[in-house]
PDB file of all heavy atoms in Angstrom:
ATOM      1  N   MET A 312      10.421 -18.361   0.657  1.00  0.00           N
ATOM      2  CA  MET A 312      10.276 -17.306  -0.385  1.00  0.00           C
ATOM      3  C   MET A 312       9.992 -15.946   0.312  1.00  0.00           C
ATOM      4  O   MET A 312       9.312 -15.887   1.262  1.00  0.00           O
ATOM      5  CB  MET A 312       9.094 -17.675  -1.356  1.00  0.00           C
ATOM      6  CG  MET A 312       8.831 -16.680  -2.421  1.00  0.00           C
ATOM      7  SD  MET A 312      10.263 -16.322  -3.528  1.00  0.00           S
ATOM      8  CE  MET A 312      10.559 -17.962  -4.169  1.00  0.00           C
ATOM      9  N   ALA A 313      10.549 -14.944  -0.290  1.00  0.00           N
ATOM     10  CA  ALA A 313      10.413 -13.616   0.323  1.00  0.00           C
ATOM     11  C   ALA A 313       8.922 -13.189   0.334  1.00  0.00           C
ATOM     12  O   ALA A 313       8.118 -13.532  -0.504  1.00  0.00           O
ATOM     13  CB  ALA A 313      11.193 -12.629  -0.483  1.00  0.00           C
ATOM     14  N   GLY A 314       8.641 -12.468   1.371  1.00  0.00           N
ATOM     15  CA  GLY A 314       7.247 -11.970   1.548  1.00  0.00           C
ATOM     16  C   GLY A 314       7.136 -10.485   1.547  1.00  0.00           C
ATOM     17  O   GLY A 314       8.081  -9.770   1.274  1.00  0.00           O
ATOM     18  N   VAL A 315       5.888  -9.993   1.746  1.00  0.00           N
ATOM     19  CA  VAL A 315       5.654  -8.567   1.838  1.00  0.00           C
ATOM     20  C   VAL A 315       4.901  -8.348   3.144  1.00  0.00           C
ATOM     21  O   VAL A 315       3.940  -9.065   3.445  1.00  0.00           O
ATOM     22  CB  VAL A 315       4.790  -8.130   0.595  1.00  0.00           C
ATOM     23  CG1 VAL A 315       4.388  -6.656   0.789  1.00  0.00           C
ATOM     24  CG2 VAL A 315       5.563  -8.355  -0.688  1.00  0.00           C
TER      25      VAL A 315
ATOM     26  N   VAL B 267       2.083 -10.320   1.642  1.00  0.00           N
ATOM     27  CA  VAL B 267       2.268 -11.498   0.795  1.00  0.00           C
ATOM     28  C   VAL B 267       2.978 -12.564   1.565  1.00  0.00           C
ATOM     29  O   VAL B 267       4.092 -12.263   2.130  1.00  0.00           O
ATOM     30  CB  VAL B 267       3.018 -11.148  -0.465  1.00  0.00           C
ATOM     31  CG1 VAL B 267       3.358 -12.451  -1.282  1.00  0.00           C
ATOM     32  CG2 VAL B 267       2.339 -10.255  -1.407  1.00  0.00           C
ATOM     33  N   GLY B 268       2.333 -13.696   1.700  1.00  0.00           N
ATOM     34  CA  GLY B 268       2.997 -14.736   2.509  1.00  0.00           C
ATOM     35  C   GLY B 268       2.298 -16.121   2.337  1.00  0.00           C
ATOM     36  O   GLY B 268       1.504 -16.233   1.413  1.00  0.00           O
ATOM     37  N   GLN B 331       0.103 -19.603  -0.888  1.00  0.00           N
ATOM     38  CA  GLN B 331       0.653 -18.287  -0.948  1.00  0.00           C
ATOM     39  C   GLN B 331      -0.419 -17.280  -1.387  1.00  0.00           C
ATOM     40  O   GLN B 331      -1.082 -17.503  -2.418  1.00  0.00           O
ATOM     41  CB  GLN B 331       1.841 -18.185  -1.911  1.00  0.00           C
ATOM     42  CG  GLN B 331       2.589 -16.878  -1.857  1.00  0.00           C
ATOM     43  CD  GLN B 331       3.668 -16.793  -2.956  1.00  0.00           C
ATOM     44  OE1 GLN B 331       3.504 -17.257  -4.077  1.00  0.00           O
ATOM     45  NE2 GLN B 331       4.793 -16.111  -2.646  1.00  0.00           N
ATOM     46  N   ILE B 332      -0.630 -16.228  -0.623  1.00  0.00           N
ATOM     47  CA  ILE B 332      -1.673 -15.246  -0.975  1.00  0.00           C
ATOM     48  C   ILE B 332      -1.142 -13.809  -0.807  1.00  0.00           C
ATOM     49  O   ILE B 332      -0.255 -13.490  -0.050  1.00  0.00           O
ATOM     50  CB  ILE B 332      -2.934 -15.395  -0.098  1.00  0.00           C
ATOM     51  CG1 ILE B 332      -2.608 -15.317   1.402  1.00  0.00           C
ATOM     52  CG2 ILE B 332      -3.598 -16.718  -0.366  1.00  0.00           C
ATOM     53  CD1 ILE B 332      -3.892 -15.316   2.289  1.00  0.00           C
ATOM     54  N   TYR B 333      -1.850 -12.927  -1.572  1.00  0.00           N
ATOM     55  CA  TYR B 333      -1.713 -11.508  -1.453  1.00  0.00           C
ATOM     56  C   TYR B 333      -2.927 -11.036  -0.659  1.00  0.00           C
ATOM     57  O   TYR B 333      -4.052 -11.430  -0.970  1.00  0.00           O
ATOM     58  CB  TYR B 333      -1.716 -10.840  -2.800  1.00  0.00           C
ATOM     59  CG  TYR B 333      -1.838  -9.309  -2.786  1.00  0.00           C
ATOM     60  CD1 TYR B 333      -0.767  -8.445  -2.776  1.00  0.00           C
ATOM     61  CD2 TYR B 333      -3.157  -8.708  -2.769  1.00  0.00           C
ATOM     62  CE1 TYR B 333      -0.901  -7.071  -2.783  1.00  0.00           C
ATOM     63  CE2 TYR B 333      -3.274  -7.337  -2.721  1.00  0.00           C
ATOM     64  CZ  TYR B 333      -2.177  -6.558  -2.759  1.00  0.00           C
ATOM     65  OH  TYR B 333      -2.306  -5.153  -2.736  1.00  0.00           O
ATOM     66  N   MET B 363      -5.111 -15.330  -4.585  1.00  0.00           N
ATOM     67  CA  MET B 363      -4.263 -16.494  -4.559  1.00  0.00           C
ATOM     68  C   MET B 363      -3.083 -16.228  -5.513  1.00  0.00           C
ATOM     69  O   MET B 363      -3.306 -15.776  -6.638  1.00  0.00           O
ATOM     70  CB  MET B 363      -4.981 -17.725  -4.925  1.00  0.00           C
ATOM     71  CG  MET B 363      -6.071 -18.069  -3.971  1.00  0.00           C
ATOM     72  SD  MET B 363      -6.639 -19.772  -4.218  1.00  0.00           S
ATOM     73  CE  MET B 363      -5.229 -20.688  -4.019  1.00  0.00           C
ATOM     74  N   LEU B 364      -1.911 -16.625  -5.097  1.00  0.00           N
ATOM     75  CA  LEU B 364      -0.730 -16.453  -5.957  1.00  0.00           C
ATOM     76  C   LEU B 364      -0.166 -17.803  -6.412  1.00  0.00           C
ATOM     77  O   LEU B 364      -0.514 -18.822  -5.848  1.00  0.00           O
ATOM     78  CB  LEU B 364       0.307 -15.700  -5.148  1.00  0.00           C
ATOM     79  CG  LEU B 364      -0.059 -14.305  -4.664  1.00  0.00           C
ATOM     80  CD1 LEU B 364       1.024 -13.682  -3.764  1.00  0.00           C
ATOM     81  CD2 LEU B 364      -0.397 -13.367  -5.838  1.00  0.00           C
ATOM     82  N   GLY B 365       0.585 -17.696  -7.440  1.00  0.00           N
ATOM     83  CA  GLY B 365       1.362 -18.905  -7.858  1.00  0.00           C
ATOM     84  C   GLY B 365       0.570 -19.879  -8.667  1.00  0.00           C
ATOM     85  O   GLY B 365       0.807 -21.075  -8.693  1.00  0.00           O
ATOM     86  N   GLY B 366      -0.450 -19.319  -9.375  1.00  0.00           N
ATOM     87  CA  GLY B 366      -1.177 -20.248 -10.266  1.00  0.00           C
ATOM     88  C   GLY B 366      -2.328 -20.956  -9.606  1.00  0.00           C
ATOM     89  O   GLY B 366      -2.496 -20.918  -8.395  1.00  0.00           O
TER      90      GLY B 366
ATOM     91  N   LEU C 379       1.901  -3.611  -7.632  1.00  0.00           N
ATOM     92  CA  LEU C 379       1.335  -4.427  -8.682  1.00  0.00           C
ATOM     93  C   LEU C 379       1.593  -5.901  -8.421  1.00  0.00           C
ATOM     94  O   LEU C 379       2.640  -6.256  -7.906  1.00  0.00           O
ATOM     95  CB  LEU C 379       1.930  -4.042 -10.059  1.00  0.00           C
ATOM     96  CG  LEU C 379       1.896  -2.588 -10.462  1.00  0.00           C
ATOM     97  CD1 LEU C 379       2.742  -2.360 -11.749  1.00  0.00           C
ATOM     98  CD2 LEU C 379       0.454  -2.163 -10.747  1.00  0.00           C
ATOM     99  N   VAL C 380       0.622  -6.721  -8.780  1.00  0.00           N
ATOM    100  CA  VAL C 380       0.884  -8.164  -8.874  1.00  0.00           C
ATOM    101  C   VAL C 380       0.364  -8.580 -10.261  1.00  0.00           C
ATOM    102  O   VAL C 380      -0.744  -8.339 -10.597  1.00  0.00           O
ATOM    103  CB  VAL C 380       0.134  -8.948  -7.789  1.00  0.00           C
ATOM    104  CG1 VAL C 380       0.319 -10.448  -8.033  1.00  0.00           C
ATOM    105  CG2 VAL C 380       0.661  -8.579  -6.400  1.00  0.00           C
ATOM    106  N   GLY C 381       1.279  -9.175 -11.008  1.00  0.00           N
ATOM    107  CA  GLY C 381       0.864  -9.569 -12.354  1.00  0.00           C
ATOM    108  C   GLY C 381       1.902 -10.496 -12.990  1.00  0.00           C
ATOM    109  O   GLY C 381       2.802 -10.956 -12.340  1.00  0.00           O
ATOM    110  N   LEU C 439      13.775 -13.729 -14.169  1.00  0.00           N
ATOM    111  CA  LEU C 439      12.382 -13.495 -14.693  1.00  0.00           C
ATOM    112  C   LEU C 439      12.349 -13.842 -16.148  1.00  0.00           C
ATOM    113  O   LEU C 439      13.327 -13.708 -16.897  1.00  0.00           O
ATOM    114  CB  LEU C 439      12.007 -12.067 -14.470  1.00  0.00           C
ATOM    115  CG  LEU C 439      12.031 -11.516 -13.045  1.00  0.00           C
ATOM    116  CD1 LEU C 439      11.486 -10.135 -12.988  1.00  0.00           C
ATOM    117  CD2 LEU C 439      11.178 -12.423 -12.160  1.00  0.00           C
ATOM    118  N   SER C 443       6.375 -14.983 -15.831  1.00  0.00           N
ATOM    119  CA  SER C 443       6.691 -14.893 -14.398  1.00  0.00           C
ATOM    120  C   SER C 443       5.679 -14.064 -13.686  1.00  0.00           C
ATOM    121  O   SER C 443       5.303 -12.990 -14.146  1.00  0.00           O
ATOM    122  CB  SER C 443       8.072 -14.315 -14.209  1.00  0.00           C
ATOM    123  OG  SER C 443       9.105 -15.105 -14.748  1.00  0.00           O
ATOM    124  N   GLN C 444       5.263 -14.540 -12.535  1.00  0.00           N
ATOM    125  CA  GLN C 444       4.398 -13.728 -11.694  1.00  0.00           C
ATOM    126  C   GLN C 444       5.225 -13.017 -10.610  1.00  0.00           C
ATOM    127  O   GLN C 444       5.982 -13.626  -9.904  1.00  0.00           O
ATOM    128  CB  GLN C 444       3.315 -14.612 -10.981  1.00  0.00           C
ATOM    129  CG  GLN C 444       2.229 -13.838 -10.279  1.00  0.00           C
ATOM    130  CD  GLN C 444       1.244 -14.667  -9.477  1.00  0.00           C
ATOM    131  OE1 GLN C 444       1.661 -15.720  -8.935  1.00  0.00           O
ATOM    132  NE2 GLN C 444       0.019 -14.303  -9.463  1.00  0.00           N
ATOM    133  N   ILE C 445       5.030 -11.693 -10.532  1.00  0.00           N
ATOM    134  CA  ILE C 445       5.825 -10.931  -9.570  1.00  0.00           C
ATOM    135  C   ILE C 445       4.955  -9.896  -8.792  1.00  0.00           C
ATOM    136  O   ILE C 445       3.866  -9.452  -9.255  1.00  0.00           O
ATOM    137  CB  ILE C 445       6.992 -10.152 -10.199  1.00  0.00           C
ATOM    138  CG1 ILE C 445       6.493  -9.219 -11.323  1.00  0.00           C
ATOM    139  CG2 ILE C 445       8.017 -11.130 -10.772  1.00  0.00           C
ATOM    140  CD1 ILE C 445       7.638  -8.347 -11.883  1.00  0.00           C
ATOM    141  N   TYR C 446       5.437  -9.609  -7.611  1.00  0.00           N
ATOM    142  CA  TYR C 446       4.908  -8.481  -6.791  1.00  0.00           C
ATOM    143  C   TYR C 446       5.895  -7.333  -7.032  1.00  0.00           C
ATOM    144  O   TYR C 446       7.120  -7.565  -6.901  1.00  0.00           O
ATOM    145  CB  TYR C 446       4.853  -8.884  -5.344  1.00  0.00           C
ATOM    146  CG  TYR C 446       4.620  -7.717  -4.414  1.00  0.00           C
ATOM    147  CD1 TYR C 446       3.361  -7.399  -3.977  1.00  0.00           C
ATOM    148  CD2 TYR C 446       5.673  -6.930  -3.895  1.00  0.00           C
ATOM    149  CE1 TYR C 446       3.109  -6.335  -3.101  1.00  0.00           C
ATOM    150  CE2 TYR C 446       5.466  -5.922  -3.064  1.00  0.00           C
ATOM    151  CZ  TYR C 446       4.171  -5.602  -2.619  1.00  0.00           C
ATOM    152  OH  TYR C 446       3.937  -4.578  -1.750  1.00  0.00           O
ATOM    153  N   VAL C 447       5.366  -6.176  -7.311  1.00  0.00           N
ATOM    154  CA  VAL C 447       6.206  -5.020  -7.613  1.00  0.00           C
ATOM    155  C   VAL C 447       5.831  -3.863  -6.753  1.00  0.00           C
ATOM    156  O   VAL C 447       4.640  -3.559  -6.540  1.00  0.00           O
ATOM    157  CB  VAL C 447       6.015  -4.587  -9.124  1.00  0.00           C
ATOM    158  CG1 VAL C 447       6.534  -3.234  -9.384  1.00  0.00           C
ATOM    159  CG2 VAL C 447       6.711  -5.605 -10.019  1.00  0.00           C
ATOM    160  N   THR C 475       9.347  -8.963  -5.875  1.00  0.00           N
ATOM    161  CA  THR C 475       9.427 -10.313  -5.313  1.00  0.00           C
ATOM    162  C   THR C 475       8.859 -11.307  -6.291  1.00  0.00           C
ATOM    163  O   THR C 475       7.778 -11.043  -6.848  1.00  0.00           O
ATOM    164  CB  THR C 475       8.578 -10.335  -4.016  1.00  0.00           C
ATOM    165  OG1 THR C 475       9.058  -9.373  -3.109  1.00  0.00           O
ATOM    166  CG2 THR C 475       8.763 -11.703  -3.333  1.00  0.00           C
ATOM    167  N   MET C 476       9.525 -12.360  -6.477  1.00  0.00           N
ATOM    168  CA  MET C 476       8.992 -13.406  -7.343  1.00  0.00           C
ATOM    169  C   MET C 476       7.889 -14.151  -6.553  1.00  0.00           C
ATOM    170  O   MET C 476       8.062 -14.449  -5.377  1.00  0.00           O
ATOM    171  CB  MET C 476      10.045 -14.357  -7.779  1.00  0.00           C
ATOM    172  CG  MET C 476      11.110 -13.737  -8.644  1.00  0.00           C
ATOM    173  SD  MET C 476      12.141 -14.991  -9.374  1.00  0.00           S
ATOM    174  CE  MET C 476      10.919 -15.843 -10.324  1.00  0.00           C
ATOM    175  N   LEU C 477       6.839 -14.470  -7.210  1.00  0.00           N
ATOM    176  CA  LEU C 477       5.694 -15.177  -6.594  1.00  0.00           C
ATOM    177  C   LEU C 477       5.598 -16.588  -7.148  1.00  0.00           C
ATOM    178  O   LEU C 477       6.141 -16.918  -8.161  1.00  0.00           O
ATOM    179  CB  LEU C 477       4.445 -14.470  -6.763  1.00  0.00           C
ATOM    180  CG  LEU C 477       4.415 -12.996  -6.252  1.00  0.00           C
ATOM    181  CD1 LEU C 477       3.141 -12.292  -6.653  1.00  0.00           C
ATOM    182  CD2 LEU C 477       4.609 -12.967  -4.758  1.00  0.00           C
ATOM    183  N   GLY C 478       4.870 -17.412  -6.373  1.00  0.00           N
ATOM    184  CA  GLY C 478       4.570 -18.751  -6.893  1.00  0.00           C
ATOM    185  C   GLY C 478       5.688 -19.760  -6.818  1.00  0.00           C
ATOM    186  O   GLY C 478       5.722 -20.694  -7.586  1.00  0.00           O
ATOM    187  N   GLY C 479       6.566 -19.611  -5.827  1.00  0.00           N
ATOM    188  CA  GLY C 479       7.532 -20.652  -5.606  1.00  0.00           C
ATOM    189  C   GLY C 479       8.766 -20.454  -6.463  1.00  0.00           C
ATOM    190  O   GLY C 479       8.882 -19.585  -7.305  1.00  0.00           O
ATOM    191  N   LYS C 480       9.673 -21.330  -6.149  1.00  0.00           N
ATOM    192  CA  LYS C 480      11.049 -21.301  -6.766  1.00  0.00           C
ATOM    193  C   LYS C 480      10.907 -21.413  -8.298  1.00  0.00           C
ATOM    194  O   LYS C 480      10.197 -22.245  -8.790  1.00  0.00           O
ATOM    195  CB  LYS C 480      11.758 -22.566  -6.304  1.00  0.00           C
ATOM    196  CG  LYS C 480      13.177 -22.339  -5.951  1.00  0.00           C
ATOM    197  CD  LYS C 480      13.859 -23.641  -5.625  1.00  0.00           C
ATOM    198  CE  LYS C 480      13.571 -24.045  -4.216  1.00  0.00           C
ATOM    199  NZ  LYS C 480      14.507 -25.176  -3.758  1.00  0.00           N
ATOM    200  N   PRO C 481      11.616 -20.525  -9.010  1.00  0.00           N
ATOM    201  CA  PRO C 481      11.663 -20.681 -10.451  1.00  0.00           C
ATOM    202  C   PRO C 481      12.477 -21.858 -10.841  1.00  0.00           C
ATOM    203  O   PRO C 481      13.321 -22.316 -10.064  1.00  0.00           O
ATOM    204  CB  PRO C 481      12.276 -19.355 -10.917  1.00  0.00           C
ATOM    205  CG  PRO C 481      13.124 -18.910  -9.746  1.00  0.00           C
ATOM    206  CD  PRO C 481      12.364 -19.400  -8.542  1.00  0.00           C
ATOM    207  N   MET C 510      15.562 -12.425  -4.020  1.00  0.00           N
ATOM    208  CA  MET C 510      14.275 -12.249  -4.689  1.00  0.00           C
ATOM    209  C   MET C 510      13.545 -10.994  -4.258  1.00  0.00           C
ATOM    210  O   MET C 510      12.630 -10.607  -4.889  1.00  0.00           O
ATOM    211  CB  MET C 510      13.477 -13.501  -4.436  1.00  0.00           C
ATOM    212  CG  MET C 510      13.991 -14.743  -5.136  1.00  0.00           C
ATOM    213  SD  MET C 510      14.057 -14.508  -6.922  1.00  0.00           S
ATOM    214  CE  MET C 510      15.719 -13.995  -7.200  1.00  0.00           C
TER     215      MET C 510
END
Side-chain angles (χ1 to χ4, degrees):
Chain A
M312 178 59 59
V315 174
Chain B
V267 173
Q331 188 186 36
I332 57 174
Y333 169 94
M363 295 192 61
L364 300 174
Chain C
L379 305 172
V380 173
L439 301 184
S443 296
Q444 188 186 34
I445 57 174
Y446 168 93
V447 164
T475 304
M476 296 192 63
L477 301 174
K480 220 186 279 194
M510 291 301 95

